[in-house]
Amino acid sequence: MKRLAIFASGSGSNAQRIAEYFKDNQEVEISLILSNKKNAFVLERAKDLGISSMTFDRSMFYESDEIVAILKDKNIDLVVLAGFLWLIPSSLIAAFPDKIINIHPALLPSYGGKGMYGMKVHEAVIENEESVSGITIHFVNENYDEGKHIFQAGTELSKRETPETLAAKIHKLEHEHFPKVIERVLFPQ
Ligand code: GRF
């Protein structure tokens, strides 16, 4: 059995998609969904999906080893960041070496780093009149969006692209690819 923990700060559409993708897979379990926001919609989705969830604050995340202890206690094999906005503490990275992955809504290394998330990314891509954008799934290290790339997929921008239409295209790519990439990371050929 491979056990996943998913961290999310917001809506959680990727978390839901991942849970749905592995629903009938006897070898994979979404053991826990964690959020740094008590009112994050991902927690509603977790409840509807019947997945345990918990929230934490900065002191718990950065000044205690509680989260690492919980993940170890649950025998988590892979930590998935799906719209999680805080930097990962080195203690968590050390506890799960090459076992934490993140999805970013742009073709890194462009449009990444601190403060580049959500609509800000799409606005910057359009502002710079890029012809393509896309997603990057990567291993997580101590810096935002800098870990080794695992997967990228692109999409062309139309002449009249808006941040909203681009966000929709990017979400579609995420939902299509993230679960499959997670499966490949869990079960390398
Ligand atoms: C996604 O666009 C992802 O690339 C980024 O945060 C967003 C999360 O969306 N890291 P959702 O909460 O999964 O709907």
Side-chain angles (χ1 to χ4, degrees), residues 107-119:
L107 294 172
L108 293 175
S110 306
Y111 304 102
K114 190 167 171 55
M116 283 306 273
Y117 59 87
M119 293 307 277

Side-chain angles (χ1 to χ4, degrees), residues 8-16 42 45 81-85 102-106 116-118 122 134-136 145 167 170-171 174-175 178:
S9 300
S11 167
S13 71
N14 277 284
Q16 175 160 339
V42 67
R45 293 183 196 261
L81 309 184
F84 183 67
L85 298 182
N102 180 49
I103 187 166
H104 184 75
M116 283 306 273
Y117 59 87
H122 309 313
I135 62 170
T136 304
D145 304 325
I170 295 292
H171 259 78
E174 293 172 345
H175 296 169
F178 203 9

Side-chain angles (χ1 to χ4, degrees), residues 98 100-103 108 136-152 181 185:
D98 286 336
I100 308 176
I101 66 174
N102 180 49
I103 187 166
L108 293 175
T136 304
I137 298 168
H138 63 93
F139 286 107
V140 169
N141 65 21
E142 279 82 357
N143 304 313
Y144 280 116
D145 304 325
E146 284 189 8
K148 180 168 165 287
H149 291 182
I150 302 169
F151 176 84
Q152 289 192 308
V181 169
V185 170

